[in-house]
Amino acid sequence: MNYDTLSESLTGLHPLRAEVDLEALRQNVGILKRVAGDAELLGVVKANAYGHGDIPIAHELIACGVKRLGVANLMEGIELREAGIEVPVLVLAAPLTHTLSAYARYRLTATVTSLDVCDAIVEEVSRSGPLTVHIKVDTGMTRLGLLPEEVPTALETLRNTAGITVEGMLTHYATVDHDFTLTQTDRFNRVLAGVEDQIPLAHGANSRTLLFTPETVHGNELVRVGGSLFGLIARGITQAAGVDLQQVMRLTSRVVHLRDIEPGTSVSYDRLWTASVPTRIATIAAGYGDGLPRSLANRGEVGIGETRYPIVGQVCMDMFMVEVGREADVHIGDEVVIFGPGGPTAVEVSVAAETIAYDVTSGLTPRVQRVYINERE
Ligand SMILES: *Cc1c(COP(=O)(O)O)cnc(C)c1O
């Protein structure tokens, strides 16, 4: 069941909700446009827009003047098309041969990720109709892409095949480490040298390299940004660029139960935490079935009122517990900020959970109701 599809009159019956602030998104887009300078933003809305809801986010990005979108796989691209979104959509995945006709049918831009994919596209295009492609170069990520020395052959083959438009060339960065990022940039620029006039859209930078290593943008026509749109970038990196991105999502639930316990009482599965003093435990309606990392057990914090309280014991599928203490002014029904204003940031939660903020928001399941605030008039 996807709680988003329930009638609006039922909003509020479920305690857990992800508030998505479209004004924060608009501000982030404005900031990123300034940082990107002459390059245009390609808004990456994969994984349900990092958990924020791909269709509403895509509409808002387009309203902000973002002219291109990127997705991780074919189904995400088809979902955008079925929702009536008509802007160019780049599918970043390695296309399997039997799926190429769907790229043509849905006017999705394919990524040429190997010489085999190149051959398959050349063979398919006479059957399926025109295809627009971007050539991906592996400059050091070792995930997808042609090796630099394979690019000239692929480029020539694709350009000489009727029905294929080579619209762009891209690479993907592996790290924020300056030296390795510059090495990858240098490899990409060598591939581009001499063929720039055949490649209308060159692009490499993602959120972190855009902010941290501006050389990754020089001379490129596009930057592909995802996490920065949603304010999921660690402060060290945003500060390096002198920008202040706002976190777009605020995840809240409510206190559903309170219990005073005595020293020696254990809390939750596996008895990972035991009270050492008389204290009070609040039970919160949210768990790993909603996408909360189980690794927050005994590590994370939440905000209730103006105070932070520690998560104690194992995170369950539908609930977790925090120690609020006997003196706290905490009541059943109180709002609990899991991340966002009034609680930790998504980045702080991700550090406690030993992962990254992208994982925290994109991991939220359909059981979390998304509520959009500050919509355009
Ligand atoms: C996810 C992804 C991006 C966006 O990265 P962010 O760090 O979220 O900006 C860009 N390019 C590719 C190939 C990706 O997979």
Side-chain angles (χ1 to χ4, degrees):
M1 178 166 73
N2 185 338
Y3 292 10
D4 288 346
T5 60
L6 293 176
S7 140
E8 260 186 42
S9 65
L10 298 176
T11 302
L13 289 184
H14 186 55
L16 179 63
R17 52 185 247 162
E19 218 172 71
V20 177
D21 184 348
L22 296 174
E23 175 57 26
L25 179 69
R26 289 192 282 274
Q27 301 227 351
N28 291 345
V29 170
I31 291 167
L32 294 168
K33 277 184 173 175
R34 276 200 299 282
V35 178
D38 291 337
E40 284 205 10
L41 303 187
L42 180 150
V44 179
V45 294
K46 63 191 179 188
N48 198 24
Y50 297 51
H52 295 68
D54 54 357
I55 306 300
I57 295 296
H59 282 303
E60 188 60 46
L61 291 175
I62 292 165
C64 289
V66 173
K67 296 191 182 70
R68 292 171 183 276
L69 299 174
V71 293
N73 67 46
L74 179 60
M75 298 314 291
E76 292 176 341
I78 292 174
E79 196 189 346
L80 295 180
R81 288 287 183 254
E82 300 258 297
I85 290 164
E86 289 297 329
V87 299
V89 174
L90 174 63
V91 180
L92 297 162
L96 294 171
T97 303
H98 73 278
T99 67
L100 287 171
S101 60
Y103 281 78
R105 183 159 8 113
Y106 288 95
R107 292 159 288 105
L108 297 167
T109 306
T111 303
V112 181
T113 49
S114 69
L115 285 178
D116 285 344
V117 167
C118 175
D119 292 342
I121 287 176
V122 166
E123 197 175 311
E124 177 66 30
V125 74
S126 56
R127 278 193 296 275
S128 62
L131 273 169
T132 301
V133 303
H134 287 209
I135 298 173
K136 181 148 196 187
V137 191
D138 186 351
T139 58
M141 173 70 181
T142 317
R143 185 171 70 174
L144 298 177
L146 291 110
L147 295 173
E149 59 270 27
E150 294 174 326
V151 172
T153 312
L155 180 58
E156 197 187 324
T157 309
L158 292 164
R159 277 171 54 81
N160 289 332
T161 306
I164 296 177
T165 305
V166 179
E167 184 190 48
M169 191 179 290
L170 69 150
T171 194
H172 192 50
Y173 290 99
T175 167
V176 282
D177 175 86
H178 270 304
D179 289 345
F180 194 66
T181 300
L182 292 174
T183 299
Q184 286 195 263
T185 305
D186 185 53
R187 288 177 186 159
F188 189 46
N189 286 339
R190 281 167 199 258
V191 175
L192 283 167
V195 297
E196 293 98 337
D197 57 325
Q198 301 172 23
I199 306 293
L201 303 173
H203 48 118
N206 57 33
S207 293
R208 296 190 306 171
T209 69
L210 165 68
L211 296 168
F212 206 60
T213 312
E215 292 90 333
T216 59
V217 186
H218 292 166
N220 282 192
E221 285 77 23
L222 295 177
V223 296
R224 303 185 306 276
V225 287
S228 52
L229 292 170
F230 306 111
L232 300 176
I233 307 297
R235 194 161 290 279
I237 290 172
T238 54
Q239 274 173 348
V243 300
D244 193 12
L245 298 171
Q246 282 186 57
Q247 188 175 298
V248 168
M249 186 186 285
R250 181 169 185 263
L251 184 70
T252 61
S253 187
R254 293 190 185 273
V255 176
V256 294
H257 186 80
L258 287 164
R259 151 96 59 223
D260 283 359
I261 61 172
E262 299 303 323
T265 307
S266 65
V267 172
S268 193
Y269 290 124
D270 308 328
R271 308 188 68 203
L272 298 184
W273 189 88
T274 301
S276 54
V277 294
T279 190
R280 184 172 300 150
I281 299 297
T283 301
I284 318 300
Y288 66 80
D290 303 296
L292 287 198
R294 274 181 90 245
S295 50
L296 290 176
N298 282 349
R299 307 206 34 176
E301 283 185 345
V302 300
I304 307 176
E306 296 296 297
T307 312
R308 299 281 183 94
Y309 297 104
I311 296 176
V312 294
Q314 197 69 276
V315 173
C316 312
M317 186 184 283
D318 317 296
M319 286 170 270
F320 65 91
M321 276 62 86
V322 298
E323 183 190 21
V324 296
R326 293 270 171 102
E327 307 304 322
D329 187 28
V330 171
H331 305 276
I332 289 178
D334 282 359
E335 184 180 75
V336 177
V337 182
I338 300 169
F339 55 80
T345 64
V347 169
E348 286 170 338
V349 170
S350 73
V351 169
E354 295 190 306
T355 180
I356 60 170
Y358 295 12
D359 186 12
V360 171
T361 60
S362 69
L364 296 177
T365 66
R367 204 163 71 162
V368 180
Q369 185 173 24
R370 275 73 169 176
V371 178
Y372 295 88
I373 63 165
N374 293 325
E375 289 182 288
R376 284 168 194 266
E377 299 298 300

